[in-house]
Amino acid sequence: WRINMKVIVTGGAGFIGSNFVFYMLKKHPDYEIICLDSLTYAGNLSTLKDVMDNPNFKFVKLDIRDREGVYKLFEEEKPDVVVNFAAESHVDRSIENPEIFLETNIIGTSVLMDACRKYGIKRFHQVSTDEVYGDLPLDRPDLFFHEDTPLHTSSPYSSSKASADLLVGAYGRTFNLPVTISRCSNNYGPYQFPEKLIPLMIQRALNNEKLPVYGDGKNVRDWLYVEDHCKAIDLILENGKPGEVYNIGGHNEMANIDIVKLICDYLDKPYSLIEHVTDRKGHDRRYAIDPEKIHNELGWLPETMFKDGIKKTIQWYLDNKDWWENIISGDYQNYYDEMYGKK
Ligand code: NAD
């Protein structure tokens, strides 16, 4: 069933979804990839410009909450696989306005799975996050998240993702829908929206602007190069077992403040640009994934070392200023000013 597969990638105009589209078109030239995206503030059609003419690629502007539209698309296209990246993804925004997170991340996921039930599907894959496990204390470096670690969320964002994960499990068990879930740590790489830590710091450092770091900056995240995440999802589609959850992580834990300092070093900017701002409400201290299962069962290992990935990423932002300069003008700038105060 791997020949000529038709794969719907939702959220394919966003950061990880677009990288997944590029990866799949290259890795599987016999697959047809349909990107379904409603183009929220985080979705960007210009990201997909290099694949728009690819005969194996199609873009459909559609909201995953639009049941009628989604059913119509499934009826016309009869996809084999759905990979669901579409989500509201920014924790800070979920604290300001939780409702849209519940609508897209929970209701949207159930609409997609209902379409899968109605029209038949070989696999529904849900792209989830390590944030569903809550956080770990900084002074217990021996503790990691395993697939059976209880869900214990802190933000409206992570709660909406955890709710979706529970629903996906329920559709698998109740309706025999062939579902898989992956829970990945923090991604970095090209095309990440400039509200997230790494691109935010790169673009502000380049402009010699203050670098806002939450609280003491000691919060620890496990960073994975986006292409390694895409490879893991492709492996799960090919060899993962329906009903299973797979953790994906790079064993690359770093404190936020150290990442910001590293970016300053690469760009030859002074640490005096760093400004500690009031901590995020409910800010999780440490996330750390144990990726043993996907390694042992599917042979996945991250291939990009952080020191190489971060260099590549910084260079990409230097080479693609047009992409992010367009984004940080207008609406996004207004949002930034509201969140962190005017420059
Ligand atoms: P992103 O915000 O960059 O992209 C989200 C995309 O979804 C955008 O293109 C947006 O237009 C689209 N979208 C939003 N609401 C939609 C709707 N109702 N209908 C259709 N499209 C809609 O997000 P990202 O960082 O690429 O994350 C993708 C997925 O991966 C999310 O599900 C997120 O929870 C998960 N994830 C992200 C990370 C990370 O570090 N970024 C880590 C683990 C898991």
Side-chain angles (χ1 to χ4, degrees):
W1 61 284
R2 289 188 202 146
I3 310 285
N4 297 331
M5 285 235 290
K6 201 180 258 197
V7 182
I8 289 189
V9 177
T10 73
F15 165 45
I16 310 176
S18 62
N19 278 284
F20 185 71
V21 166
F22 304 147
Y23 179 79
M24 292 297 274
L25 284 170
K26 211 161 145 191
K27 170 91 193 292
H28 303 286
D30 53 336
Y31 283 14
E32 234 178 287
I33 308 288
I34 300 170
C35 168
L36 181 172
D37 200 298
S38 65
L39 300 179
T40 66
Y41 79 94
N44 216 309
L45 217 43
S46 70
T47 301
L48 296 169
K49 66 177 184 334
D50 290 346
V51 295
M52 279 300 187
D53 292 336
N54 186 321
N56 292 341
F57 177 76
K58 188 169 172 180
F59 176 80
V60 179
K61 184 172 187 303
L62 188 62
D63 195 309
I64 59 168
R65 294 169 297 167
D66 174 358
R67 188 173 289 273
E68 221 176 284
V70 169
Y71 282 12
K72 192 161 165 274
L73 181 73
F74 274 61
E75 192 168 358
E76 283 167 12
E77 296 289 353
K78 305 198 171 40
D80 300 290
V81 169
V82 175
V83 185
N84 184 26
F85 291 92
E88 288 292 333
S89 68
H90 192 41
V91 176
D92 288 343
R93 288 180 188 255
S94 82
I95 295 168
E96 293 304 303
N97 177 19
E99 197 178 343
I100 182 70
F101 284 73
L102 311 191
E103 286 182 8
T104 287
N105 300 1
I106 307 174
I107 308 283
T109 301
S110 75
V111 168
L112 288 171
M113 289 193 294
D114 284 339
C116 291
R117 286 170 60 205
K118 191 167 157 70
Y119 296 99
I121 198 90
K122 295 192 177 81
R123 180 72 64 79
F124 176 86
H125 182 76
Q126 176 72 358
V127 180
S128 187
T129 162
D130 59 358
E131 298 193 30
V132 299
Y133 298 121
D135 65 350
L136 295 165
L138 285 179
D139 59 358
R140 289 293 307 273
D142 55 317
L143 295 181
F144 292 92
F145 299 134
H146 306 276
E147 285 78 1
D148 56 2
T149 299
L151 305 187
H152 185 79
T153 58
S154 315
S155 70
Y157 163 69
S158 54
S159 305
S160 68
K161 293 294 289 184
S163 307
D165 283 11
L166 291 173
L167 263 184
V168 173
Y171 272 62
R173 175 141 179 185
T174 309
F175 305 120
N176 276 327
L177 199 67
V179 297
T180 39
I181 298 176
S182 54
R183 297 188 179 133
C184 189
S185 58
N186 274 34
N187 284 215
Y188 68 100
Y191 297 108
Q192 186 165 28
F193 195 82
E195 68 190 348
K196 303 285 168 63
L197 182 78
I198 289 180
L200 178 75
M201 297 304 160
I202 296 174
Q203 57 93 1
R204 289 187 67 84
L206 284 172
N207 291 333
N208 297 310
E209 290 169 341
K210 288 279 179 207
L211 306 176
V213 171
Y214 278 133
D216 58 11
K218 291 195 179 136
N219 304 58
V220 168
R221 302 291 180 262
D222 174 8
W223 293 92
L224 184 72
Y225 192 63
V226 63
E227 199 177 51
D228 281 325
H229 185 188
C230 296
K231 279 183 194 164
I233 294 173
D234 183 35
L235 268 181
I236 295 170
L237 294 180
E238 289 198 345
N239 301 324
K241 285 197 214 94
E244 294 291 316
V245 174
Y246 297 90
N247 281 350
I248 308 171
H251 269 312
N252 180 64
E253 290 179 39
M254 291 192 66
N256 290 345
I257 187 73
D258 294 333
I259 298 250
V260 178
K261 285 183 176 164
L262 201 87
I263 291 171
C264 289
D265 292 344
Y266 274 128
L267 294 175
D268 202 17
K269 301 286 178 187
Y271 294 166
S272 57
L273 288 177
I274 296 171
E275 184 179 56
H276 290 271
V277 299
T278 314
D279 208 355
R280 170 189 276 167
K281 290 179 191 141
H283 205 177
D284 285 336
R285 285 308 265 176
R286 170 174 172 254
Y287 301 137
I289 277 276
D290 174 2
E292 275 304 295
K293 177 175 170 180
I294 190 166
H295 174 58
N296 292 338
E297 291 185 14
L298 307 182
W300 177 86
L301 269 181
E303 288 168 27
T304 306
M305 303 282 289
F306 186 77
K307 67 173 177 39
D308 301 326
I310 192 73
K311 257 194 233 165
K312 267 203 269 189
T313 304
I314 292 176
Q315 194 56 47
W316 187 88
Y317 280 88
L318 286 170
D319 295 341
N320 292 275
K321 275 193 174 172
D322 283 0
W323 183 85
W324 55 265
E325 276 176 352
N326 270 334
I327 290 177
I328 60 172
S329 59
D331 276 359
Y332 173 68
Q333 191 56 53
N334 297 336
Y335 163 79
Y336 183 91
D337 289 345
E338 257 172 49
M339 292 300 294
Y340 303 107
K342 294 213 183 315
K343 280 184 271 172

